[in-house]
Amino acid sequence: IGSAHTGEDIASLRNIAAQWIRQALPQQELFPAEKQWTPLPLVSTDKLRNLGFRYMFIHETLTVLLHRFFFAQKECQMLLDLVLIRIIKPASKLESFALLSGYFGISYRRADFYQSIPVISGLKETVEKNVIAQASKYFSFDFRLVFYDVTTLYFESFAEDEDVLDKEGNILDKGLKRNGFSKDHKFNQPQIVIGLIVTKEGFPVSYEVFEGNTFEGDTFIPVIAGFKQKHTISSLTVVADAAMISLDNIERLKKHELSYIVGARIANLKISEMKTIIQSLIGQTVDEKELAKKDGVSVRMETERGLLVCDFSFKRYLKDKWGMEKQVRKAKLLLIRRKGAKQAKFLKNKRKGKTEIVLNTGLIERTKQLLGIKGYYTNLIDTDDKTIIDQYHNLWRVEQAFRIAKSDLAMRPVYHFKKQAIEVHILICFMALSLCRYMELKTGMSIKAIIRLFMQITDARILNTLTNEEIILRSEISTKTEEVVKKISL
């Protein structure tokens, strides 16, 4: 075992020897101790060195989930570790490798990542297939109903991509980074458009990437029709917001035999249709006590864009009224100041071609009449109004998924410049998002709370300088942590 010069060192070596015997011999003890503790040699503290601590518990837990969700192959471990660190502490790829080393003692070369980009970017279909399998297993997803929306991700750059052309000037590959309508209000920076499909619980099952100057309505049919064709779905209903609807899209939905529930902009209807809806829902009622009795009333009518279902909500009425009154006050204040008047909703030029700004009383009156009224286009003629309205109200699940991706996973800004690297970044974020939503749905906790709970369990690393052995002491796992682990089926 070793040699010693003092009685204290001899005592330490005796304990080390006893521990070695217990570990080396397969024979069980005749009189085992009542409680088994983590074997730790009793040595003087000056023979121990503190090597710091790591967070191996969270790595072990999330790695099991990642293997179950995606791949168990060792070749994919770098990708899975990048997904894992994106969930724990999102950062650039370079900093992610530093965090993996500091938190878990896992080392990767930056060059290995860039060499693997072509392979990783080709895993999108495999990832989606595996995610859908998990959605079917844990959330009974059967393809009948999906929710769709788009968002934009801006780049930490001001240069757009150029199209790749052949000798004749034909486009071989479109530039991905383009300036467009930014949902992040970064209009002077290039961006990409992301279309996301989720289940009724908000669990992501598919996504597509588009050039930054793509109109969101133009993404609707390619994504949904492509999803239907890819998975050979016979019956599919998609729920989306008002930006997705147009006469062209209606015809394409019919062509692909897709059912839809899409938000309608009531203010864009014909005057006669608008009056019919208002009369059917609230009539001439202006008293708020009487309006409260109209809560939940619905009406349907045929239009060129399909069946239009409208309902009145008193809660929505109060919210819309507060918003309208706030905008009217702002417009009146801008009129007095004569500054920034063009940016206000309820202001207009007094005469066409003139610069004199006045209050748009006609628009105010029309907005007042439509307070609390919401419309939905659909081709589900045999479905009752309440089901259509309730399904549309679940559209917030897509927005929730986008908030998690942008806030908790720091999906933007994007720092990559080459197309494949951008695609890999989006793939990593999509994988991380699916795992986050799974844990949130299973536990009822936010992903931040889950990560905070798992990160409380640390592994202290102690080096015995007499034997050069590293001893790991894991902190106690709380009952709450055990409950969470059980809820996520581990």
Side-chain angles (χ1 to χ4, degrees):
I1 295 298
S3 59
H5 299 283
T6 66
E8 189 181 63
D9 287 349
I10 292 173
S12 295
L13 290 175
R14 284 181 183 276
N15 281 297
I16 293 169
Q19 180 187 335
W20 182 88
I21 292 169
R22 286 196 301 271
Q23 292 175 345
L25 296 180
Q27 181 181 342
Q28 293 184 356
E29 293 184 34
L30 184 61
F31 302 104
E34 291 184 8
K35 188 171 183 180
Q36 293 292 330
W37 298 93
T38 303
L40 180 65
L42 298 176
V43 296
S44 176
T45 53
D46 65 336
K47 304 299 181 184
L48 300 176
R49 185 186 302 162
N50 181 7
L51 299 179
F53 59 89
R54 288 190 175 135
Y55 302 93
M56 296 309 297
F57 175 82
I58 191 170
H59 186 274
E60 292 162 8
T61 306
L62 295 190
T63 296
V64 172
L65 279 180
L66 286 163
H67 284 164
R68 182 196 296 171
F69 262 62
F70 304 112
F71 327 101
Q73 300 94 321
K74 289 183 178 178
E75 312 88 75
C76 299
Q77 193 57 48
M78 180 173 63
L79 171 61
L80 297 182
D81 280 335
L82 285 171
V83 173
L84 186 146
I85 204 67
R86 171 69 51 177
I87 296 171
I88 296 172
K89 190 174 182 180
S92 67
K93 300 301 177 293
L94 188 60
E95 189 178 346
S96 294
F97 290 138
L99 289 170
L100 285 168
S101 177
Y103 284 179
F104 315 120
I106 298 171
S107 299
Y108 293 109
R109 292 190 315 139
R110 187 182 180 186
D112 292 336
F113 169 72
Y114 286 107
Q115 287 171 8
S116 65
I117 281 177
V119 177
I120 296 175
S121 65
L123 294 174
K124 179 178 180 292
E125 285 196 18
T126 305
V127 167
E128 284 190 5
K129 183 181 177 182
N130 292 344
V131 165
I132 288 171
Q134 301 304 321
S136 302
K137 180 178 180 180
Y138 293 106
F139 308 113
S140 304
F141 177 60
D142 58 5
F143 294 99
R144 292 185 183 181
L145 179 69
V146 296
F147 296 79
Y148 178 75
D149 205 352
V150 304
T151 194
T152 57
L153 304 177
Y154 67 92
F155 288 77
E156 202 58 53
S157 165
F158 293 92
E160 292 184 282
D161 284 343
E162 294 183 359
D163 295 334
V164 178
L165 308 175
D166 61 14
K167 292 179 180 179
E168 286 74 33
N170 300 313
I171 297 175
L172 296 176
D173 192 14
K174 285 187 175 181
L176 201 57
K177 296 185 300 175
R178 294 298 178 96
N179 289 337
F181 179 78
S182 173
K183 292 179 181 287
D184 297 309
H185 305 290
K186 300 284 185 179
F187 299 106
N188 61 336
Q189 291 172 250
Q191 63 179 20
I192 52 175
V193 175
I194 306 291
L196 181 67
I197 298 176
V198 306
T199 67
K200 65 180 184 295
E201 297 86 6
F203 184 79
V205 290
S206 184
Y207 73 95
E208 293 295 339
V209 183
F210 296 89
E211 296 81 17
N213 57 355
T214 307
F215 171 59
E216 56 187 291
D218 293 340
T219 70
F220 187 41
I221 302 300
V223 175
I224 301 302
F227 184 75
K228 182 176 184 287
Q229 183 180 5
K230 189 190 302 181
H231 301 286
T232 59
I233 306 164
S234 57
S235 177
L236 175 68
T237 299
V238 57
V239 182
D241 69 11
M244 305 302 161
I245 202 71
S246 67
L247 291 175
D248 286 343
N249 278 351
I250 293 294
E251 291 304 315
R252 290 170 187 164
L253 286 166
K254 291 177 182 176
K255 180 182 176 183
H256 292 285
E257 298 180 339
L258 288 161
S259 300
Y260 60 91
I261 301 171
V262 182
R265 292 190 172 102
I266 305 297
N268 293 345
L269 293 173
K270 297 173 183 176
I271 299 297
S272 57
E273 292 175 335
M274 203 183 302
K275 286 181 177 179
T276 301
I277 291 167
I278 295 169
Q279 187 61 37
S280 301
L281 292 176
I282 58 175
Q284 303 299 319
T285 308
V286 292
D287 182 69
E288 289 194 355
K289 288 184 179 179
E290 292 299 315
L291 282 173
K293 297 176 183 178
K294 304 280 187 180
D295 185 58
V297 176
S298 65
V299 63
R300 57 171 58 194
M301 62 188 295
E302 284 292 339
T303 70
E304 59 185 357
R305 296 187 177 186
L307 178 67
L308 175 62
V309 176
C310 297
D311 76 321
F312 174 80
S313 164
F314 185 66
K315 185 178 179 180
R316 189 191 303 129
Y317 165 84
L318 294 175
K319 182 182 177 183
D320 292 348
K321 182 185 175 187
W322 178 86
M324 185 198 74
E325 290 174 346
K326 181 181 178 181
Q327 287 179 318
V328 170
R329 287 195 299 271
K330 178 183 175 182
K332 289 179 178 178
L333 188 63
L334 290 173
L335 271 180
I336 296 170
R337 293 179 177 176
R338 298 289 177 184
K339 185 179 180 181
K342 291 182 180 179
Q343 300 172 4
K345 179 179 179 180
F346 293 114
L347 294 178
K348 66 172 185 177
N349 288 329
K350 189 173 183 179
R351 294 185 187 86
K352 193 173 182 180
K354 302 290 183 179
T355 57
E356 186 180 355
I357 307 296
V358 295
L359 206 62
N360 192 339
T361 53
L363 180 59
I364 293 172
E365 188 58 34
R366 191 159 64 250
T367 304
K368 194 180 294 183
Q369 291 176 344
L370 295 174
L371 293 176
I373 297 175
K374 178 72 179 174
Y376 322 88
Y377 287 115
T378 184
N379 58 351
L380 299 172
I381 298 172
D382 297 329
T383 305
D384 63 273
D385 293 356
K386 187 178 186 306
T387 301
I388 291 168
I389 294 164
D390 287 347
Q391 294 294 8
Y392 183 85
H393 288 171
N394 283 327
L395 191 59
W396 68 273
R397 293 289 189 181
V398 194
E399 297 171 3
Q400 181 188 39
F402 281 140
R403 281 198 299 273
I404 293 169
K406 289 186 173 185
S407 300
D408 296 336
L409 302 177
M411 199 173 184
R412 51 84 168 108
V414 183
Y415 293 97
H416 298 286
F417 299 102
K418 293 186 177 180
K419 187 174 182 179
Q420 280 191 331
I422 295 167
E423 290 170 345
V424 168
H425 171 72
I426 304 302
L427 179 65
I428 289 171
C429 292
F430 175 76
M431 293 168 71
L433 177 62
S434 63
L435 207 68
C436 288
R437 290 299 294 137
Y438 168 79
M439 290 191 286
E440 289 185 336
L441 290 168
K442 281 291 187 179
T443 63
M445 299 168 61
S446 71
I447 189 61
K448 283 185 177 179
I450 296 170
I451 297 304
R452 196 182 307 119
L453 192 66
F454 285 179
M455 291 285 278
Q456 288 173 358
I457 301 167
T458 57
D459 290 347
R461 302 168 59 216
I462 302 168
L463 180 67
N464 183 346
T465 56
L466 287 174
T467 62
N468 209 32
E469 177 191 6
E470 186 177 324
I471 303 156
I472 306 296
L473 292 177
R474 176 162 289 178
S475 59
E476 188 177 355
I477 299 175
S478 67
T479 305
K480 187 175 182 181
T481 305
E482 289 180 346
E483 289 174 358
V484 170
V485 170
K486 197 176 292 184
K487 285 178 180 178
I488 58 178
S489 307
L490 294 179

